[in-house]
Amino acid sequence: MPTINEIGFLGTGIMGGPMAVNLAAAGFTVTAYDPDRIRLASLAERGVAAAASPAEAAAGRDAVVVMVASGPVADDVLFGSGGAASAMRPGALLIVMSAIAVPEAEAQAAKAAKLGLRWLDAPVSGGESGAKAARLSIMVGGAAGDFEVARPIFDVLGRAVHIGPVGTGELAKLVNQLTVASTIVAVSESLLLAEAGGADPARVREALLGGFAQSRIMDEHGKRIIERDFAPGGPAKYQIKDTGAAKALARSLNLDLPMLNLADRLFCDLVENGGGDLDHSALFLELMRRNGRLPQGSVLAAE
Amino acid sequence: MPTINEIGFLGTGIMGGPMAVNLAAAGFTVTAYDPDRIRLASLAERGVAAAASPAEAAAGRDAVVVMVASGPVADDVLFGSGGAASAMRPGALLIVMSAIAVPEAEAQAAKAAKLGLRWLDAPVSGGESGAKAARLSIMVGGAAGDFEVARPIFDVLGRAVHIGPVGTGELAKLVNQLTVASTIVAVSESLLLAEAGGADPARVREALLGGFAQSRIMDEHGKRIIERDFAPGGPAKYQIKDTGAAKALARSLNLDLPMLNLADRLFCDLVENGGGDLDHSALFLELMRRNGRLPQGSVLAAE
């Protein structure tokens, strides 16, 4: 198996920035590209070299990591004009860590294969805090041998599980987002019921964390809801991209998943009512709006 | 503050049995009543004395713990013919650990007060395994002083949080059940999507447990779903008692909680289709039924 030393890194935003820094700190040679030149330059003092294009970041590297906002953007930085793929040597490894649709992953993997490149889809869960703390959960689709080659990268960023062939990492990420979105709705309804019923929601959360209602969402997002701290984190507008993709996948499999449909509808309501840039835990505000309980001056439009 | 030494225990079923045994093992003198004489007698060798009636179990005790199937049963063993309350000395403490409706708790607390008895509602989360391992989460409503008196009992059984006044323990329990029921649906839909999409659900669960999708339900009930192990645990027929009570409470507060309504409907479907005695994680089977994916010979009626 080849050993990876030099990494190209495409996309140094909220997630990609700290991931690139962590890889450089672990001893990899990291050359990054981002259209935001100021953001990119700010990483230089933390060991991440700046490239002028995806192709420059990728040329001659053992592996290229992609952490951009969507499937079409990933396709563009890889296969568009000045894209990374054409600059890479045959046998090098593409690792797409963005959350993209399963068919997009399959199509991009096929294009990569034609160029003699290997491919993993490796989306993550854990958010900005997980990226910074190198505690991401990484869901990997692709060949088992390629997973082993990439493992030193994943080990720096968090904890990786090899799910199955190309696309199954993205499938697992959609499943993850289905669980996350639904659990945020469940926690929001629960804490609203607690408050409306006259209990201190902080004590209810504390009690629930000790039993079967425990979840990381109840812990972290429940705390946000109680403190009304809706600074992202994970903006609601990205949540509906993922629930929308999960719905499309379910439809293509002829699956009726009523809770996914409900969660998607409620998050769309939140975005339509002005909450798209709030953390996804602001679903609680959408429930308050729906019930005529929004406080005066709320960022959301009233019912 | 009085110290509790002698405990009357009403209801020694799946939950109450191990709880009574744990209290006896911790040094309390425990006298129990249960209509199932065989079940009750089987506890004698584990230090729990048998009484012939609720009144006999309660007479002269410092505290009486109630762990029966419903609010009406609790009312009967406390205030019916041969009930516990009339046999207790003024100032003694009633601790109702059954999940009952908030208005039932308030009504029973008022009856107890007329007899000079103190009262806590202290329902639990954690199931049979939590009861046996003395790792229950206990949600307590009532006076702070009474909570402190009862704390040595709670400390034997698990971890208690004082939520607020009488009824708020039961409120927290309903909130807990809302979270649990919704999370079971979310985990069921997630694992069904993973399977239908062609991924190994065991690997998806493993990956999800490392990120924001982590929950105790994903851990324990997700494992049951993957292994198709639906022996209760927490039977589905009890789940709909709790989601029904949560719906009634929400209605009384003029709250529209769409996910609670959906979860309640799906669990009712499961029970109506023959799954009432299965563990509540069998909601997964109801989703398979709904999607025409039930295996041959399933315990559920096909779509």
Side-chain angles (χ1 to χ4, degrees):
Chain A
M1 296 271 178
T3 301
I4 293 175
N5 295 304
E6 300 197 330
I7 299 174
F9 204 105
L10 309 181
T12 55
I14 291 178
M15 297 293 293
M19 291 165 69
V21 167
N22 285 335
L23 288 169
F28 290 101
T29 300
V30 181
T31 308
Y33 169 75
D34 194 282
D36 183 334
R37 312 297 297 168
I38 296 170
R39 186 158 75 183
L40 185 58
S42 74
L43 299 180
E45 64 185 18
R46 305 181 67 189
V48 177
S53 70
E56 185 182 314
R61 312 302 165 208
D62 307 310
V64 168
V65 174
V66 180
M67 196 62 180
V68 297
S70 72
V73 176
D75 197 68
D76 186 54
V77 297
L78 289 175
F79 305 107
S81 168
S86 60
M88 292 170 72
R89 58 171 172 72
L93 182 59
L94 272 172
I95 309 173
V96 173
M97 303 190 74
S98 306
I100 69 178
V102 175
E104 288 174 331
E106 291 169 343
Q108 292 177 23
K111 287 193 209 177
K114 281 193 186 161
L115 297 169
L117 301 174
R118 293 172 295 148
W119 164 282
L120 295 171
D121 46 289
V124 304
S125 177
E128 185 182 4
S129 60
K132 286 182 174 167
R135 283 183 45 217
L136 294 170
S137 173
I138 308 167
M139 296 152 266
V140 187
D146 294 341
F147 175 74
E148 290 307 323
V149 170
R151 194 191 279 275
I153 292 178
F154 298 144
D155 285 348
V156 169
L157 301 174
R159 188 173 150 279
V161 176
H162 183 222
I163 306 292
V166 164
T168 58
E170 298 295 348
L171 171 61
K173 170 66 176 171
L174 284 184
V175 171
N176 185 82
Q177 296 308 87
L178 193 174
T179 302
V180 167
S182 301
T183 309
I184 287 176
V185 178
V187 167
S188 296
E189 290 197 4
S190 295
L191 294 177
L192 183 58
L193 182 61
E195 277 191 28
D200 177 348
R203 293 200 184 183
V204 172
R205 169 181 164 277
E206 187 193 343
L208 266 54
L209 285 175
F212 275 116
Q214 181 279 335
S215 67
R216 188 159 164 199
I217 296 289
M218 177 65 81
D219 189 357
E220 298 193 25
H221 298 77
K223 187 162 182 288
R224 279 172 168 274
I225 288 167
I226 289 166
E227 296 173 353
R228 304 290 196 267
D229 167 19
F230 300 122
K237 63 187 174 190
Y238 294 148
Q239 185 74 69
I240 61 174
K241 175 175 76 78
D242 293 337
T243 49
K247 275 178 67 178
L249 176 66
R251 221 169 15 241
S252 76
L253 296 165
N254 208 18
L255 272 188
D256 169 30
L257 300 178
M259 183 166 282
L260 169 60
N261 292 339
L262 174 61
D264 177 66
R265 183 160 57 77
L266 291 172
F267 276 104
C268 285
D269 289 348
L270 169 61
V271 172
E272 281 166 21
N273 288 303
D277 289 319
L278 301 178
D279 188 71
H280 49 184
S281 53
L283 196 275
F284 181 81
L285 291 182
E286 173 56 28
L287 278 177
M288 291 187 86
R289 192 198 62 77
R290 188 185 177 97
N291 281 287
R293 289 173 176 253
L294 269 187
Q296 285 280 327
S298 169
V299 60
L300 290 201
E303 175 77 331
Chain B
M1 295 270 181
T3 301
I4 293 174
N5 295 305
E6 300 197 330
I7 300 173
F9 204 105
L10 308 181
T12 55
I14 291 177
M15 298 293 293
M19 290 164 70
V21 167
N22 285 335
L23 288 169
F28 290 101
T29 302
V30 181
T31 309
Y33 170 76
D34 194 281
D36 184 333
R37 313 296 298 169
I38 296 170
R39 186 157 74 182
L40 186 57
S42 74
L43 300 179
E45 64 185 19
R46 305 183 65 191
V48 177
S53 70
E56 186 182 314
R61 313 301 165 206
D62 308 310
V64 169
V65 174
V66 180
M67 197 61 180
V68 297
S70 72
V73 176
D75 197 68
D76 187 54
V77 298
L78 289 175
F79 304 107
S81 167
S86 60
M88 293 169 73
R89 58 171 171 72
L93 183 60
L94 272 173
I95 308 173
V96 173
M97 302 191 74
S98 307
I100 69 178
V102 175
E104 289 173 331
E106 291 169 343
Q108 292 177 24
K111 286 192 211 179
K114 281 193 187 163
L115 296 169
L117 301 173
R118 293 173 294 147
W119 163 282
L120 294 171
D121 46 290
V124 304
S125 177
E128 184 181 6
S129 60
K132 286 182 174 167
R135 284 185 44 217
L136 294 169
S137 173
I138 308 166
M139 296 151 267
V140 187
D146 294 341
F147 175 74
E148 290 308 323
V149 170
R151 194 192 280 275
I153 292 177
F154 298 145
D155 285 348
V156 169
L157 301 174
R159 187 172 152 280
V161 176
H162 182 221
I163 307 290
V166 164
T168 58
E170 297 296 348
L171 170 61
K173 170 66 175 173
L174 285 184
V175 171
N176 185 82
Q177 296 308 87
L178 193 175
T179 303
V180 167
S182 300
T183 310
I184 288 176
V185 179
V187 167
S188 296
E189 289 197 4
S190 296
L191 294 177
L192 184 57
L193 181 61
E195 277 190 30
D200 177 348
R203 293 200 185 184
V204 172
R205 168 181 165 276
E206 186 192 342
L208 267 54
L209 285 175
F212 274 116
Q214 181 280 334
S215 67
R216 188 158 164 199
I217 297 290
M218 178 64 82
D219 189 358
E220 298 194 24
H221 297 77
K223 186 160 183 289
R224 280 172 167 273
I225 287 167
I226 290 166
E227 295 174 352
R228 304 290 196 269
D229 168 19
F230 299 122
K237 64 187 175 190
Y238 294 148
Q239 186 73 70
I240 61 173
K241 174 175 77 77
D242 294 337
T243 49
K247 274 179 66 177
L249 176 66
R251 220 167 18 239
S252 76
L253 296 166
N254 208 19
L255 272 188
D256 169 31
L257 299 178
M259 184 168 280
L260 169 60
N261 293 339
L262 173 61
D264 177 67
R265 183 159 58 77
L266 292 171
F267 276 104
C268 284
D269 288 348
L270 170 61
V271 172
E272 280 166 21
N273 288 303
D277 289 320
L278 301 178
D279 187 71
H280 47 185
S281 53
L283 196 276
F284 181 82
L285 291 182
E286 173 56 28
L287 278 177
M288 292 187 85
R289 193 198 61 78
R290 187 185 178 97
N291 282 287
R293 289 173 178 253
L294 269 186
Q296 285 281 328
S298 169
V299 59
L300 291 200
E303 174 76 334

